[in-house]
Amino acid sequence: MCAGMAGRAAAAPRGPRGPWRCLLLALALALALDVVRVDCDQDPLDTIYLPATLELLDAPEHFRVQQVGHYPPANSSLGSRSETFLLLQPWPRVQPLLRASYPPFATQQVVPPRVTEPHQQPVPWDVRAVSVEAAVTPAEPHARVLFHLKGQDWPPGPGSLPCAWLHATHPAGTAHQACHFQPSLGACVVEMEFPSHWFSQGSTTRAELAYTLEPAAEGPGGCGPSQEEDPRKQALPVGGVELRPADPPQYQEVPLDEAVTLRVPDVPVRPGQLFSATLLLRHNFTASILTLRIKVKKGLHVTAARPAQPSLWTAKLDRFKGSKHHTTLIICHRAGNTGLDSSSPPELSEFLWVDFLVENGTSGGVAVTRPVTWQLEYAGQAPEAEKDKMVWEILVSERDVRALVPLAKAEELVNTAPLTGEPRHVPIRLVTVDNGGALVEVTEHIGCESTNTQVLQVSETCDAVFVSGKESRGAQGVQVDFWWRRLRASLQMTVWAPLLPLRIELTDTTLEQVRGWRVPGPTEGMPEPEAAAEEAERRPRSCRLQYQRAGVRFLVPFAAHPLDGGRRLTHLLGPDWLLDVTHLVAPHARVQDPRVASLEGGRILVGREPGVTSIEVRSPLSDSILGEQALAVTDDKVSVLELQVQPVMGISLALSRGTAHPGEVTATCWAQSAFPAPKQEVALSLWLSFSDHTLVPAELYNQHDLGLSVSAEEPGAILPAKDQGAQLGVVVSGAGAEGLPLHVALHPPEPCRRGRHRVPLASGTAWLGLPPAPTPPPALPSSPARGPPATEASMGGKQWEAVGIGGSGVVKGKFERAEAEAREEEEEEEEEEMVPAPQRVTDLELGMYALLGIFCLAILIFLVNGVVFVLRYQRKEPPDGATDPASPQPHNWVWLGTDQEELSRQLDRQSPGLPQGEGGCPCESGGGGEALTVAQAPGGGTSSSSSTLARKEAGGRRKRVEFVTFAPAPLAELSQESVGAPAVQSILVAGEEDIRWVCEDMGLKDPEELRSYMERIRGSS
C-alpha cells in the first residue's frame, strides 16, 4: 500500500501546484498510516480480577511476589483473584493467618506448614540441626546433635515446644534418642551413645543421622517412650558420623629450643583432672645434665616428673612456693651410655613426662586460663637461648565443653536497607555444648569477624549480623567467624540484595480527561490575578474536571552474587520473580511535578492537569534516584463505555504451598454468587471500562466522586444496604428460578448534576442467580451510556432504584425515557459549560507555537505576493493592435550590433523625398552637435519607441543595443506601403566624435568616398 501511494504521489503533475499537492498527499498518507497502526497495534483490554483485599496476619516480615508480565495471574477473573506471598520468617510464635475480605464479607485461614524435601511432608516448625562431632571412638562413643528453632520468638512454657527425635542407622542396627526444646534458648542437644559392636577393629564405618519432630508428651523429659518403629519415611537428614577404631589424642607441640620440644594437650581441662606434658629430645642431644624450671599460678600444681626411659635418665623434683606463683625445679641426669641410642627414633624421642593437677573450684564455673612458664638450662646451650622462656596457657573449665555453636533466628536476610534507610538485623546467640548435652549461653570474652563486609557485617558485641544499606551486593554462604577461648565456630548466611533500578508499574501511563464526569472541588491550577475575585466567588459552587486514575506498584528483583566474583547471579525464587516493595518505598515516592499528578497513599496516581511528569523514588541514604517512570496527563477526552459488575454474596479462600521457597504461599479467593436467600446482602464489584481500552476497579476512585445507583425491574426486590463498606451494596428480598437482573448506573456526584445533566456516564447489568438462556446480542450503540439496558427499555414502565454512593439513600421511583439525540445534546451542553483548568505552557510548547507562527507567516507572504503579481499584470493595457482579436500580436526585438551597422540602417530608413544634405554622412557636417533622425510610422502615429541602451567612453569601441517594436499598420493604409515593411520607430543620438569614429573605422577618410559608398548601398537596396 505504501509503495502504491508513493508511486501515485510521484506521478503528480509538475505544475506550479505540484509540490504543494505532493506535500499534502504525503501528510495524508502519514496520517492514514498512523491511524491504521494505532488501530492495529492497540493493546487488548487489561486483565480484571476481584478487588478483594488479601493480607497476612501475624507474619512480621513478608512480601507479595509476582512473575514478570503475569500480574494479575492468568487464572484471575471478574469474580476471583490470586496472590503469592513470601514469608521470610515462616514460623513465628503463632501460625500466620491469611485474611480475604470484600466488605461486608471476610474469611481467613491458617497458613499451612511448609513442605520440605525429600518426602514433601509438612513440618510445623523450622528447625536447624548441627552435628557437633564428626567422628567418634570407643573411648568417646557419644554423638551429639544440637537442634534449635528458627524464626520469631516462641511462647513461654515447656509444653508449647516439640521434641526432637534423633535416629541413627548403621549396618549393625539402629538407635533412637530424643530431647525436648528448652524455652529459654529454643534449643536442645541429643547425646546418643553408639553400641560397642558398631565399632570395627580394623576399619572405619559410618552411621547416618536423621531427625523427626514430635509433640511433647507426658513422661520423663517430656518426650514419651522411645520410638522403635522405622521413622525414615518422614525423617529429615542431619548427616553422617564416622565410627573409628581409635582416635589419636589431640596434642600441640611447641619447641622450647633447637634440641627440646614440648608436647601439651590441646583440650580444656576440668578441676581435679590430672594431665601430663611431654618433653622430647633430638637424637643428637649430648648434654648429660638438663635443668627445667616451671612456674605456675595458684590452683595448678606439678605433681611428678617421670623419665620416659629410666635406664638412661633420672629426674629430681624440687618445689618452691611463693605468694602468687609456685616454682618447680626438675634436674635430669644421664645415667647410662652417653652415646646415641640406636633404638630411638631418628628425630625426636620422648624424654620426660611432667604431671599436673588442677585444684577443685578454681574456675568458679567459668572457663579460665592458667599460664605455665617453661625455661631450659643445659651445657652447650646457645647463649641467646639461656634466658628464653615459653608460656603455655591451660584452659581450665568446670564443664567439659565440646563445641561452640552460634544460633541465628534466620539463615537468610533480604537487604531492604537501600530502599528504606533502616538497617536489617538478625540476632545471634552463642552457646556451648557440654559433655552430657548441657547448653550454656556465652556472652563474654567472645570475638567475631565477617569474611565479606561488602555483603554482611557483624556487631561489635557479636550479638547480631546486619546490613546498613551501604553494602554493594548479596551472596550465598557468606561466612561469619566466632571464637571463645580456644573454641571457634562459623555461621553461613545468605544475603539477598535488590537489583536496582526499581520497576514502577502503572496500570495506565497516560491519564486522560473523562468525558462528562465532573467532581466537586476547585479547578486545578492558579487563577490569573485579575480573575482572583471571580474565582473566589465561583470556587465554592464549582466542579472540577475528572481525570483518569491509575494504580501504582513498586517492584524489584532480589539476587545473590557469587563469592568468587563471577557474574552469574542467583535470584530469589527465580529470575522471573519480582518482590512488591510498595509498602517500603511509598513514603519516599513522589511525583516530580505535583501540579500535573499526585500520589494518594503511595498506591493511586491521580491526574490533576495536562502535562508530562514522572514518578521517582529517591534513596533515603543519598540523593540518588532508585527508580523513575514517566507519565502524561492529557486533555484528550475518553468515555466510560460500560460498567462490568460482579455480585458478591460471600468470599471463599484456598491456600497452597509453593516449592520455589519454603515461605512461598499462594492464596486464591473468589466471590460466591449463588441464589440469594431472602434478606440476603449483596455487594457489587465494579470495573470501569474506558474508550482507550483500559479497565480500572472503582476502588481507585474516591467514593464521594462516584454517583452509583442500582435498579431492578421488580418493585421492592432490592433495598439499600445499611453497611456502606463496599462501593455499592443492596439487600435482596429473593430471586426467582431465572435470577434477578440488577442494573447499575454511574453518574457524576449530585452537586455536579446541573440542569438536565442527569444522564448516566455508563451502566452495566448483574444477574443474581441463574441468568436466562443466552440470545444473540443486539448491536451495541456507539456509547452504552446513551440509553438504559435492553431489559429496562423493553419494560417501558416504572422502575425502582436503590440509591447507593452519591444518592439520597432512600428508595424512589424514576422514569428513564430519554432519546439518544437528547442525550447527545445534553452531553455537548455539559462539555460547553465545563470550564477547563488553566494550563501551564511548557518551553517545548512555546517553541512549537513559534515555529507554527513562522510557517503561517511565510505562507501568508507567499499568497500576498502572488495576488499582487496577478493584479499588476491584469491592469497593464495591451497595444493598439491587440484590440482586434484577429490582428497578430506585436513582437519585441532586441538588436545587438555596432554603431556602423546602426548608421547604415538609419540612412536606409530615411525617406527618399528628403534633401540630399539631410541624408548625407554626418562626417560632412563637421559640426559638434548631435544628429537626430526620426522615422515616422505609417499612419502618422508614433509607435512604441525603441531606444539604444548604451553609453560610450572616450576612445573606446562600443556596441549598440536597440529595442524595436514591430506593429502591424492599420488596414486602411496597407495599400500604400509594402506589406512586409514593418513600422519602425528609431531614435539615434550620436555626437560629432561618434560620427568621425565610424568613418575612420570603415576606412573612409574622404567625405566623397563615403558619399559614393552610401549611394551605392542605397541604389542596391
Side-chain angles (χ1 to χ4, degrees), residues 466-741:
F466 67 95
V467 287
S468 61
K470 300 179 181 179
E471 294 77 16
S472 59
R473 53 192 298 165
Q476 277 186 314
V478 61
Q479 182 172 312
V480 181
D481 296 327
F482 299 89
W483 58 86
W484 176 75
R485 301 300 182 185
R486 295 187 180 182
L487 301 178
R488 301 184 67 91
S490 62
L491 176 67
Q492 291 188 346
M493 298 280 296
T494 298
V495 180
W496 305 101
L499 298 181
L500 300 175
L502 292 172
R503 300 189 183 186
I504 304 177
E505 287 193 359
L506 303 177
T507 56
D508 190 3
T509 57
T510 302
L511 306 181
E512 298 171 325
Q513 179 184 337
V514 183
R515 187 188 305 273
W517 193 353
R518 305 180 71 191
V519 295
T523 57
E524 300 294 337
M526 296 299 294
E528 298 294 333
E530 59 271 10
E534 181 181 354
E535 180 71 16
E537 295 178 359
R538 188 177 60 87
R539 182 166 295 180
R541 54 183 176 82
S542 63
C543 292
R544 58 181 174 87
L545 302 175
Q546 174 73 298
Y547 290 90
Q548 289 179 305
R549 296 191 175 195
V552 184
R553 287 181 299 115
F554 302 92
L555 309 170
V556 65
F558 283 81
H561 299 73
L563 291 175
D564 56 1
R567 297 184 177 181
R568 187 172 182 178
L569 303 179
T570 303
H571 291 79
L572 179 62
L573 293 179
D576 57 343
W577 284 90
L578 303 174
L579 271 67
D580 190 343
V581 294
T582 305
H583 61 290
L584 299 178
V585 302
H588 310 290
R590 67 181 184 91
V591 179
Q592 190 175 9
D593 190 351
R595 295 174 298 179
V596 176
S598 62
L599 275 175
E600 289 187 359
R603 299 175 181 268
I604 301 177
L605 180 65
V606 181
R608 297 298 182 185
E609 65 177 41
V612 178
T613 183
S614 62
I615 298 178
E616 62 183 16
V617 179
R618 291 193 174 270
S619 171
L621 301 175
S622 63
D623 199 27
S624 60
I625 297 178
L626 302 180
E628 188 175 10
Q629 173 63 49
L631 62 99
V633 180
T634 68
D635 54 2
D636 298 337
K637 293 182 175 61
V638 294
S639 301
V640 185
L641 295 181
E642 64 173 339
L643 295 180
Q644 298 193 20
V645 188
Q646 170 66 39
V648 180
M649 288 174 280
I651 292 290
S652 300
L653 180 64
L655 303 180
S656 62
R657 276 285 182 180
T659 58
H661 189 275
E664 181 185 355
V665 180
T666 301
T668 303
C669 69
W670 58 92
Q672 299 176 0
S673 56
F675 286 98
K679 303 300 181 180
Q680 172 72 49
E681 188 171 1
V682 179
L684 300 178
S685 170
L686 304 178
W687 281 75
L688 280 64
S689 175
F690 291 97
S691 58
D692 61 348
H693 293 254
T694 58
L695 280 167
V696 296
E699 282 75 11
L700 289 184
Y701 292 86
N702 194 336
Q703 292 187 4
H704 301 287
D705 297 340
L706 295 172
L708 299 173
S709 61
V710 59
S711 60
E713 298 177 355
E714 300 180 6
I718 57 174
L719 296 173
K722 297 180 181 180
D723 189 353
Q724 297 293 336
Q727 291 283 359
L728 185 61
V730 294
V731 176
V732 182
S733 60
E738 296 183 357
L740 176 66

Side-chain angles (χ1 to χ4, degrees), residues 716-838:
I718 57 174
L719 296 173
K722 297 180 181 180
D723 189 353
Q724 297 293 336
Q727 291 283 359
L728 185 61
V730 294
V731 176
V732 182
S733 60
E738 296 183 357
L740 176 66
L742 299 180
H743 307 300
V744 183
L746 172 64
H747 299 265
E750 184 64 31
C752 297
R753 303 185 201 176
R754 287 187 272 172
R756 298 179 301 167
H757 302 160
R758 303 288 179 174
V759 180
L761 299 175
S763 60
T765 302
W767 284 88
L768 301 180
L770 184 65
T775 57
L780 294 177
S782 58
S783 177
R786 296 177 182 174
T791 55
E792 295 183 6
S794 61
M795 295 294 296
K798 188 176 181 180
Q799 301 172 355
W800 292 91
E801 176 187 35
V803 179
I805 303 300
S808 59
V810 297
V811 180
K812 62 180 182 179
K814 70 172 185 177
F815 290 90
E816 294 184 0
R817 302 291 296 171
E819 299 294 337
E821 294 79 2
R823 296 177 185 272
E824 292 179 357
E825 293 177 0
E826 291 178 357
E827 290 180 1
E828 294 175 358
E829 292 176 1
E830 185 174 357
E831 293 176 6
E832 292 176 358
E833 290 183 4
M834 290 184 182
V835 179

Side-chain angles (χ1 to χ4, degrees), residues 820-856:
E821 294 79 2
R823 296 177 185 272
E824 292 179 357
E825 293 177 0
E826 291 178 357
E827 290 180 1
E828 294 175 358
E829 292 176 1
E830 185 174 357
E831 293 176 6
E832 292 176 358
E833 290 183 4
M834 290 184 182
V835 179
Q839 300 181 4
R840 182 176 57 87
V841 181
T842 62
D843 296 339
L844 178 62
E845 293 175 345
L846 289 176
M848 295 178 63
Y849 292 152
L851 186 61
L852 181 60
I854 293 174
F855 285 159
C856 294

Side-chain angles (χ1 to χ4, degrees), residues 231-365:
R232 297 291 296 172
K233 295 181 180 180
Q234 300 181 3
L236 300 175
V238 175
V241 60
E242 293 183 354
L243 280 71
R244 299 174 181 176
D247 190 13
Q250 299 179 4
Y251 289 113
Q252 181 183 4
E253 293 185 354
V254 180
L256 297 180
D257 63 2
E258 295 180 354
V260 183
T261 299
L262 177 66
R263 178 185 294 169
V264 294
D266 193 20
V267 293
V269 295
R270 297 188 303 275
Q273 180 180 354
L274 182 66
F275 64 95
S276 300
T278 305
L279 270 72
L280 295 88
L281 292 179
R282 293 189 178 275
H283 68 283
N284 56 358
F285 186 79
T286 58
S288 59
I289 299 176
L290 185 147
T291 302
L292 178 64
R293 296 180 184 272
I294 303 175
K295 183 183 292 186
V296 296
K297 283 189 175 183
K298 289 184 176 182
L300 189 63
H301 300 279
V302 178
T303 59
R306 298 176 289 116
Q309 297 180 0
S311 60
L312 299 179
W313 291 89
T314 61
K316 181 181 178 181
L317 179 66
D318 295 327
R319 301 184 182 92
F320 304 94
K321 294 183 179 181
S323 59
K324 295 183 179 180
H325 298 85
H326 299 324
T327 303
T328 301
L329 182 63
I330 302 175
I331 301 176
C332 300
H333 294 271
R334 187 184 296 272
N337 187 8
T338 59
L340 297 177
D341 188 2
S342 59
S343 62
S344 62
E347 291 295 333
L348 293 173
S349 60
E350 293 184 356
F351 161 63
L352 184 68
W353 295 324
V354 181
D355 297 334
F356 293 86
L357 177 64
V358 182
E359 293 182 357
N360 291 325
T362 58
S363 63

Side-chain angles (χ1 to χ4, degrees), residues 16-371:
R17 299 180 181 177
W20 293 98
R21 292 178 180 176
C22 293
L23 180 60
L24 293 176
L25 184 60
L27 290 175
L29 177 62
L31 291 175
L33 291 177
D34 186 55
V35 170
V36 171
R37 179 169 57 253
V38 170
D39 186 57
C40 296
D41 298 342
Q42 185 63 259
D43 294 335
L45 290 176
D46 298 335
T47 307
I48 59 178
Y49 56 90
L50 179 68
T53 302
L54 295 172
E55 56 183 347
L56 272 170
L57 306 177
D58 298 326
E61 188 177 4
H62 65 276
F63 292 91
R64 298 175 187 264
V65 296
Q66 72 172 66
Q67 286 185 297
V68 177
H70 292 81
Y71 185 84
N75 59 350
S76 298
S77 64
L78 189 62
S80 64
R81 180 180 186 179
S82 294
E83 286 279 359
T84 301
F85 296 88
L86 177 64
L87 284 77
L88 298 180
Q89 296 181 0
W91 312 118
R93 174 178 297 180
V94 295
Q95 288 294 97
L97 298 175
L98 203 150
R99 175 183 173 87
S101 62
Y102 191 84
F105 309 104
T107 184
Q108 62 184 19
Q109 286 188 15
V110 177
V111 176
R114 71 184 181 113
V115 176
T116 56
E117 297 292 345
H119 303 290
Q120 301 295 318
Q121 296 292 331
V123 179
W125 295 93
D126 190 13
V127 176
R128 178 190 175 204
V130 180
S131 180
V132 176
E133 282 85 9
V136 295
T137 61
E140 290 287 344
H142 297 89
R144 301 171 184 87
V145 177
L146 182 146
F147 298 94
H148 76 95
L149 301 174
K150 296 185 296 182
Q152 201 181 14
D153 294 336
W154 40 88
S160 61
L161 298 180
C163 289
W165 281 91
L166 181 65
H167 311 281
T169 303
H170 189 266
T174 60
H176 313 279
Q177 189 69 31
C179 70
H180 186 232
F181 284 90
Q182 301 177 14
S184 58
L185 295 174
C188 68
V189 176
V190 174
E191 187 176 62
M192 177 180 290
E193 182 178 1
F194 293 151
S196 58
H197 64 274
W198 285 18
F199 295 91
S200 176
Q201 296 296 329
S203 62
T204 300
T205 59
R206 185 179 179 86
E208 297 296 333
L209 304 179
Y211 74 95
T212 57
L213 297 178
E214 300 292 339
E218 298 294 336
C223 292
S226 176
Q227 296 182 354
E228 299 296 338
E229 65 272 7
D230 185 12
R232 297 291 296 172
K233 295 181 180 180
Q234 300 181 3
L236 300 175
V238 175
V241 60
E242 293 183 354
L243 280 71
R244 299 174 181 176
D247 190 13
Q250 299 179 4
Y251 289 113
Q252 181 183 4
E253 293 185 354
V254 180
L256 297 180
D257 63 2
E258 295 180 354
V260 183
T261 299
L262 177 66
R263 178 185 294 169
V264 294
D266 193 20
V267 293
V269 295
R270 297 188 303 275
Q273 180 180 354
L274 182 66
F275 64 95
S276 300
T278 305
L279 270 72
L280 295 88
L281 292 179
R282 293 189 178 275
H283 68 283
N284 56 358
F285 186 79
T286 58
S288 59
I289 299 176
L290 185 147
T291 302
L292 178 64
R293 296 180 184 272
I294 303 175
K295 183 183 292 186
V296 296
K297 283 189 175 183
K298 289 184 176 182
L300 189 63
H301 300 279
V302 178
T303 59
R306 298 176 289 116
Q309 297 180 0
S311 60
L312 299 179
W313 291 89
T314 61
K316 181 181 178 181
L317 179 66
D318 295 327
R319 301 184 182 92
F320 304 94
K321 294 183 179 181
S323 59
K324 295 183 179 180
H325 298 85
H326 299 324
T327 303
T328 301
L329 182 63
I330 302 175
I331 301 176
C332 300
H333 294 271
R334 187 184 296 272
N337 187 8
T338 59
L340 297 177
D341 188 2
S342 59
S343 62
S344 62
E347 291 295 333
L348 293 173
S349 60
E350 293 184 356
F351 161 63
L352 184 68
W353 295 324
V354 181
D355 297 334
F356 293 86
L357 177 64
V358 182
E359 293 182 357
N360 291 325
T362 58
S363 63
V366 181
V368 295
T369 58
R370 300 294 183 183

